[in-house]
């Protein structure tokens, strides 16, 4: 057997020496590290320069260096990792030795494609890792008979084709982004313009309101003093007032009664519905589902159902209600009887009657005095202002003035609110170059699994079952954030987030989830030519993550970190 | 307006109801006790406990069973006779045929039947179609061997009067002393009684009798015994003879009372173990009250007990009615072969020490009382004397544990549910990305279309084959769930066939039984039916279960069976199975028949379609004695809390000594969200479960290891990689279990049967015969643990070789990133240190051998290795080596343990060829002698085809003692082949 073993050794040696005739580097070593492997006789561990080995121990499938640097082309040092059990024999705890792997991985030259590093754990494991090592060079030992042919030409070609597409697409995306930015600027300008206009309008409005207030005071003053006989309605008499009030109140009560009755009926129907739901729920709930909440609810329902049901909506009550809501005459109330035809005199009548006996000069004087006294009394709150106690009693002049004022006031308020909204809008973050302003309220739709998902930028996310049924709110837009994503390399088709800081829109407080939280969605944005949902994941119960492509985040402003092919 | 007020009040009530709904979601909850019976609520249990009380408390008690001496015959290892039961207040007797078999293995078996039922000479009530016999087919399912009769067993006239003696067992050292009146048996080893039957007179076999309608006396329950004593006339509590209600379900009991019960005593034995599955300590507690003891017996009635509680004799998902008793240097056992609901009372009595005889301590006797609802009284007795002897004898009867495929003992990633095929692919990619090894990803019930098994939800799993292909690229597997309840819905081929072929379980009227489970209205396949068994096989064909590939394996859940609307969440006892056996008779076996059908279906799939000769992998939740032949089990729906983590260890140890060692608990806890610390500690513990699977409930947050964040993800990955590195040791332990029944993880008493102090220890474990001793941390915030070292031996920390010495209890530091793991001196542990993505990708990796030198300076260890997937090992395609280090010569030898064969099979040759380059890359020697300081080389010699092939030198690197750490040395790349014979000389 010794012969056989020796042969294996020879094979190793042959491999390690003849591995890279073109470069002279041992297997698995990249140009960056070539300088450490130059010496023809000895090798010095990269991070542990005190340790030197005969060159034959490089790539002999035995891990000699504490940093693994003597095995750039095998898996012999793959266990040197903080992810592996930390044992003494791996040098852990041995003072002075650096056990961090010195090399980033097995270097695949991938001639015809881009070179890359492969984790040492994947060297000689019998699997062709074409994704990272298209030349198949990592399976040089052919364990289990595996043969990994060099596919770099084909893979490289395909990659370049896709990359070309991607570059083109990126170019287009860049253009689109510019358009979006322009659109966003236009929208911003619009807002700014509007703010300016509003400013002017508010100024004018304030002035107008001031004038109208003044005017109203004048008119009222004038009107309060004017006592016009006959303009006071008959029913302004004591009883009349009472009757008027009573009638009005009764009408209100009747309306309220009808409304409440309607509400009651609706509630009762809903209650029946809810009870039916709960009864079915009790029948069908799964006692095995192990949900104590559900079990308690069922128990509570049983208690509730067993309790006295309370008075049924009984017919007598309803009859009473019917009667009460009928028109007044049928109800035995004839308001007119009280309103019209009585001879009771009002206080004003008495006042005017007394005046009639005076001589005209005195009467004019008295009239003036009375008028000013009355105004004084009214203004000092002693006498009721009957002229304005009800709209009917108010003079047209006053009410006109009031209408004018309130219209102006309303306009002004409207403008002010508008202004605030627009100013807030200006202050809100819309990403770099304000670009998301252009996306606001635009929506994209994406079918996945049993649902169709809708994403409305800066608004909300929803899901709708394909089988039919209403849509469910998965969150309302809350804020814009930048988050770190680590999805490895962007795939060749460009539909991926890659690795780095990415813009994300946070949507929260969607519909509550049975046995879970309120639904929420994190929408993470990657660069793409078209707005498109790439992937939807329910990361946890009712917590969703959407990976979305949009030109809005293309270019440097949107992409920090690396998005290239290197995974290591 | 009153009406309005009323409706408002009701609305308010409704709102309160809603509030109640929401408020309780977050509460931690526990088992719903009212769903499950106590002994008092189980008629036959209550009756037999009362019987036992009467027998114990009345001096006048005369056990009514006697062996008719004239009927006794002994022929070829079998003793037959008739036991007569004298009826109360009558001169009548009931004839009970007795068979006592003595097997070559040294096992004795006692079977008691009832003549009238046996002959079918009884009348059933309610026009029942049920079979009249006592259930006598349990052995058909449970027993597979070990029943060749003893040729050496011989009867002798008893030395005592009124006894018949039979000598049997190894060199005739066992003896059964059969007492005629009252009937009882003492089993002796070397002349000392070890196991006693009916020593206390609790033997009770409820004979058939017609129901006599008595004038109503209106007795109150529970007063009968008192009445009986005072009136000096024995009467029986008949209140539960004819029907029994529980939780709104009534059991019609057409056969009347038919329980069997027996007291089994273990004189001088302080501890009993076994009767899995229960969530309690390994050493069984007393069950008749008292401080810290249980008040209910251990119950075996396979049930879907959700949110099960800790430290309880309550029944769980499976039943193994096998018990071992332990005293210093002696282990004995009994196996109660009965598939009906069974309760076991355990009590202990201590005789006080005689103060005059110094040094003689009081001795404890453990008494057990076994009570089953129906069936035969059928008990096997094992007389040891070692734990291994008992378990091997039991395993010969019920079968050895399956040798699983290697992937099955690696790490499994499960969740209820991975929701789409893309989700599965994503988890697969992420595990690779984070360099976390795993072998299997699982699908719970949501993959199906509307809970119809053998279908895929077309919306969420549109491309199962593509998904399986991706997994296969790194030799990974998919496990999909298939349950026994079949959705009762039109146009579903499975239920259509089930109905048209009449293969479902029937109700008491003989119609197809309908109940509720996940899919709603469902039927249950009756795997007791051979036709159902064959039909079930056909369903797993690739053209029937479309979307499955050869890397798809199966998980059987809910096979207790779990029936949501049934009594105690299972089937009515008067349901009828194939052959018209009542469900009550077969209940505890039911889960095994389903598991068995699935196992054979997967076997058939391979035989008929793939022809790869591969071993099936099927996980089951419900089990019985014998299920170990079919796959793995897990401890069901546990919770994400520390007590459940703690309980998992005694539970899995208990499975190990019960002949079903391929066991695990859901890592992380099924219900609830574990803290990151708990999750991390659980992975560290899970790395020492024979079956190692992370699982989580659908309402929990995601918890794949890479989501934990640092430092947790890194620590979890270390635990996973530790498991993978030690796979050769684990696989060897599985092989040992497969050939001897030995537990894979072993409790202290099993390894040290002479150390009484350690008998009750159940929170630390030995891995196979490797000498690895682990004590997983199961408490929050712990920074260290106490490890009990039973023997006078050196132990070394696995990671830094810190030295400890027994016998004592040592403190081992265990910050979060550390697993307390020691190596016992005297062992050689095989490892594979190169981390790979899955176990399949480690197939050709080189080995590391760790030699741990203890007091003697000698060490040994074994390695079993095969292709890890096929049955080719049965044809010799394996490597089995013994590594021996001898201090006297300072040599390490690798010896062949395969039986010598002149012509190795083709498969053997092929396998060995495939492994011909696999070498030992490193030999680590821990606790090397001081004299090795300065040694630079060792001499390596290999043999080639039986001949020495010369010698060469390999480098030795010596490391001296540092602080409390042992000195150690490494042989650099000895290059010897793992399958070859060789010698390394250190001298």
């Amino acid at each position: 057997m010794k012969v056989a073993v020796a042969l294996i050794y020879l094979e190793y040696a042959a491999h390690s020496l003849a591995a890279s005739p073109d470069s002279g580097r041992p297997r698995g070593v990249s140009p960056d590290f070539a300088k450490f492997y130059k010496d023809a006789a000895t090798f010095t561990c990269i991070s542990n320069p005190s340790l030197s080995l005969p060159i034959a121990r490089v790539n002999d499938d035995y891990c000699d260096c504490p940093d693994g640097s003597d095995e750039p082309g095998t898996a012999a040092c793959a266990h040197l990792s903080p992810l592996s059990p930390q044992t003494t024999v791996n040098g852990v705890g041995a003072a002075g030795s650096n056990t961090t792997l010195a090399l980033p991985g097995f270097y695949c030259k991938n001639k015809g494609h881009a070179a890359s590093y492969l984790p040492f754990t994947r060297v000689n494991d019998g699997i062709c890792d074409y994704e990272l090592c298209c030349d198949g060079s990592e399976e040089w030992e052919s364990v289990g008979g595996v043969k990994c042919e060099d596919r770099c030409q084909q893979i490289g070609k395909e990659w370049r084709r896709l990359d070309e597409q991607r570059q083109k697409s990126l170019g287009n995306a860049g253009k689109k982004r510019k358009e979006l930015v322009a659109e966003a600027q236009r929208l911003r300008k619009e807002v700014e313009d509007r703010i300016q206009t509003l400013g002017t309008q508010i100024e004018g409005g304030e002035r107008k309101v001031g004038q109208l207030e003044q005017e109203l005071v004048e008119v009222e003053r004038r009107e309060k003093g004017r006592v016009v006989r006959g303009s006071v309605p008959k029913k302004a008499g004591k009883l009349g007032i009472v009757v008027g009030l009573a009638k009005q109140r009764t009408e209100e009560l009747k309306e309220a009664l009808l409304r409440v009755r309607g509400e009651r009926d609706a509630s009762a129907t809903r209650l029946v519905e809810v009870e039916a739901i709960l009864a079915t729920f009790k029948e069908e709930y799964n006692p095995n589902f192990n949900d104590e909440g559900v079990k308690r609810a069922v128990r509570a329902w049983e208690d509730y159902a067993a309790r006295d049901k309370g008075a049924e909506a009984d017919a007598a009550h309803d009859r009473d209600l019917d009667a009460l809501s009928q028109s007044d005459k049928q109800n035995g109330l004839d308001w007119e009887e009280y309103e019209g035809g009585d001879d009771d005199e009002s206080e004003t009548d008495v006042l005017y009657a007394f005046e009639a006996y005076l001589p005209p000069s005195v009467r004019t004087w008295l009239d003036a005095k009375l008028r000013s006294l009355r105004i004084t009394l009214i203004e000092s709150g002693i006498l009721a202002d009957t002229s304005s106690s009800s709209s009917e009693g108010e003079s047209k002049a006053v009410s006109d003035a009031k209408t004018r004022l309130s219209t102006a006031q309303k306009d002004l308020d409207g403008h002010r609110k508008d202004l605030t909204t627009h100013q807030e809008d200006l202050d809100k973050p819309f990403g770099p170059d304000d670009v998301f302003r252009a996306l606001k309220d635009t929506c994209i739709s994406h079918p996945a699994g049993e649902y169709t998902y809708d994403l409305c930028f800066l608004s909300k996310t929803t899901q709708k079952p394909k089988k039919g049924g209403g849509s469910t709110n998965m969150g309302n837009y809350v804020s814009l954030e930048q988050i770190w994503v680590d999805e490895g390399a962007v795939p060749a088709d460009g539909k991926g987030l890659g690795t780095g800081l990415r813009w994300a829109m946070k949507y929260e407080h969607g519909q509550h989830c049975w046995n879970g939280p309120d639904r929420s969605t994190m929408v993470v944005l990657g660069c793409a030519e078209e707005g498109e949902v790439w992937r939807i994941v329910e990361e946890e119960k009712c917590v969703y993550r959407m990976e979305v492509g949009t030109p809005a985040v293309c270019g440097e402003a949107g992409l920090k970190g690396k998005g290239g092919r290197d995974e290591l | 307006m009153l009406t309005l007020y009323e409706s408002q009040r009701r609305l308010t009530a409704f709102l309160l109801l809603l509030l109640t709904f929401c408020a309780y979601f977050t509460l931690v909850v526990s088992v719903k006790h009212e769903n499950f019976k106590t002994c008092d609520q189980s008629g036959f249990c209550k009756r037999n406990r009362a019987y036992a009380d009467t027998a114990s408390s009345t001096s006048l008690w005369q056990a009514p069973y006697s062996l008719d001496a004239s009927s006794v015959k002994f022929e070829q290892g079998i003793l037959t006779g008739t036991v007569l039961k004298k009826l109360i207040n009558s001169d009548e007797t009931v004839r009970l045929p007795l068979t006592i078999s003595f097997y070559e293995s040294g096992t004795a078996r006692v079977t008691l039947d009832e003549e009238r039922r046996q002959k079918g000479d009884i009348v059933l009530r309610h026009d029942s179609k049920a079979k009249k016999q006592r259930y006598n087919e349990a052995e058909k399912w449970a027993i597979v061997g070990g029943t060749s009769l003893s040729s050496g067993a011989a009867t002798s006239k008893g030395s005592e009067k009124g006894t018949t003696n039979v000598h049997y067992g190894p060199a005739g050292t066992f003896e059964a002393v059969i007492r005629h009146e009252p009937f009882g048996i003492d089993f002796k080893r070397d002349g000392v009684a070890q196991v006693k039957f009916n020593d206390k007179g609790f033997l009770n076999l409820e004979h058939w009798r017609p129901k006599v309608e008595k004038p109503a006396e209106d007795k109150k329950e529970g007063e009968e015994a008192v009445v009986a004593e005072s009136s000096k006339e024995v009467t029986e509590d008949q209140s539960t003879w004819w029907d029994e209600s529980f939780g709104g379900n009534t059991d019609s009991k057409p056969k009347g009372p038919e329980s069997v019960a027996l007291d089994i005593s273990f004189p001088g034995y302080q501890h009993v173990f076994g009767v899995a599955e229960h969530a309690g300590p390994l050493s069984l507690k007393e069950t008749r009250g008292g401080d810290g003891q249980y008040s209910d017996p251990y119950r075996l009635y396979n049930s879907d007990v959700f949110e099960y509680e800790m430290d309880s004799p309550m029944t769980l998902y499976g039943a193994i009615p096998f018990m071992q008793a332990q005293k210093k240097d002696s282990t004995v056992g009994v196996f109660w072969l009965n598939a009906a609901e069974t309760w076991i009372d355990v009590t202990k009595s201590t005789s006080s020490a005689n103060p005059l005889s110094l040094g003689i301590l009081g001795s404890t006797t453990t008494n057990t009382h076994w009570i089953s609802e129906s069936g035969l009284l059928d008990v096997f007795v094992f007389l040891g004397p070692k734990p291994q002897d008992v378990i091997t004898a039991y395993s010969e009867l019920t079968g050895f544990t399956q040798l699983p495929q290697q992937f099955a003992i690696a790490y499994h990633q499960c969740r209820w549910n991975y929701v789409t095929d893309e989700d599965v692919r994503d988890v697969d990619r992420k595990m690779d990305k984070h360099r976390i090894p795993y072998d299997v990803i699982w699908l719970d019930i949501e993959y199906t279309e509307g809970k119809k098994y053998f279908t895929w939800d077309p919306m969420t799993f549109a491309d199962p084959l593509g998904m399986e292909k991706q997994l296969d690229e790194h030799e990974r597997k998919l496990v999909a769930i298939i349950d026994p309840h079949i959705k009762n819905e039109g146009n579903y081929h499975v239920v259509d066939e089930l109905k048209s072929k009449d293969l479902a379980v029937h109700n008491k009227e003989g119609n197809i039984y309908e109940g509720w489970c996940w899919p709603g209205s469902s039927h249950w396949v009756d795997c007791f039916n051979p036709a159902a068994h064959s039909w079930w096989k056909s369903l797993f064909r690739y053209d029937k279960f479309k979307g499955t590939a050869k890397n798809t394996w199966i998980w059987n859940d809910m096979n207790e069976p779990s029936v949501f609307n049934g009594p105690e969440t299972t089937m009515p006892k008067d349901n009828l199975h194939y052959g018209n056996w009542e469900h009550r008779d077969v209940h505890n076996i039911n889960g095994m028949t389903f598991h068995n059908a699935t196992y054979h279906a997967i076997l058939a799939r391979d035989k008929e379609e793939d022809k790869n000769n591969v071993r099936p992998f099927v996980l089951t939740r419900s089990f019985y004695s014998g299920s170990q032949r079919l796959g793995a089990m897990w401890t069901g729906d546990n919770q994400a809390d520390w007590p459940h983590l703690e309980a998992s260890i005694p539970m899995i140890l208990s499975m190990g000594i019960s002949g079903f060692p391929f066991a695990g608990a859901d890592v992380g806890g099924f219900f609830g969200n574990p803290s990151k610390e708990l999750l991390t500690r659980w992975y560290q513990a899970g790395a020492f479960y024979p079956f190692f699977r992370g699982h989580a409930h659908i309402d929990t947050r995601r918890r794949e290891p890479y989501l934990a964040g640092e430092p947790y993800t890194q620590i979890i990955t270390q635990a996973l990689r530790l498991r993978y590195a030690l796979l050769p040791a684990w696989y060897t332990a599985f092989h040992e279990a497969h050939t001897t029944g030995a537990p894979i993880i072993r409790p202290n008493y099993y390894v040290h049967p002479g150390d009484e102090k350690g008998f009750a220890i159940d929170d630390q474990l030995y891995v196979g015969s490797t000498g690895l001793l682990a004590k997983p941390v199961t408490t929050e915030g712990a920074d260290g643990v106490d490890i009990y070292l039973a023997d006078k031996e050196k132990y070394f920390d696995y990671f830094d070789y810190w030295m400890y010495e027994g016998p004592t209890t040592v403190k081992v530091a265990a910050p979060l990133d550390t697993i307390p793991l020691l190596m016992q001196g005297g062992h050689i542990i095989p490892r594979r240190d190169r981390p790979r993505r899955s176990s399949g990708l480690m197939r050709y990796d080189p080995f590391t051998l760790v030699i741990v030198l203890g007091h003697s300076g000698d060490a040994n260890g074994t390695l079993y290795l095969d292709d890890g997937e096929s049955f080719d090992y049965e044809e010799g395609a394996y490597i089995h080596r013994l590594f021996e280090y001898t201090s006297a010569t300072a040599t390490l030898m690798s010896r062949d343990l395969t039986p010598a064969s002149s012509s190795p099979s083709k498969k053997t040759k092929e396998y060995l060829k495939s492994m011909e380059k696999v070498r030992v890359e490193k030999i680590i020697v821990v606790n090397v002698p001081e004299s090795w300081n300065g040694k630079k080389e060792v001499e390596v010699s290999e043999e080639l085809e039986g001949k020495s092939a010369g010698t060469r030198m390999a480098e030795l690197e010596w490391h001296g003692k540092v602080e409390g750490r042992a000195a150690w040395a490494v042989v650099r790349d000895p290059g010897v082949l793992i399958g070859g014979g060789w010698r390394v000389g250190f001298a």
Side-chain angles (χ1 to χ4, degrees), chain B residues 261-280:
Chain B
L262 175 68
D263 64 273
I264 302 175
S265 306
F266 302 99
Y269 288 82
Q270 311 96 311
H271 293 273
V272 284
F273 308 108
V275 295
E277 172 185 31
H278 297 99

Side-chain angles (χ1 to χ4, degrees), chain A residues 57 64 121 288 290 539, chain B residues 304 671 702 836 955 972:
Chain A
R57 293 200 170 175
D64 289 296
T121 54
N288 222 29
N290 312 336
E539 291 192 305
Chain B
D304 183 356
F671 295 112
R702 288 269 174 142
R836 300 293 193 185
E955 205 172 286
R972 184 190 186 282

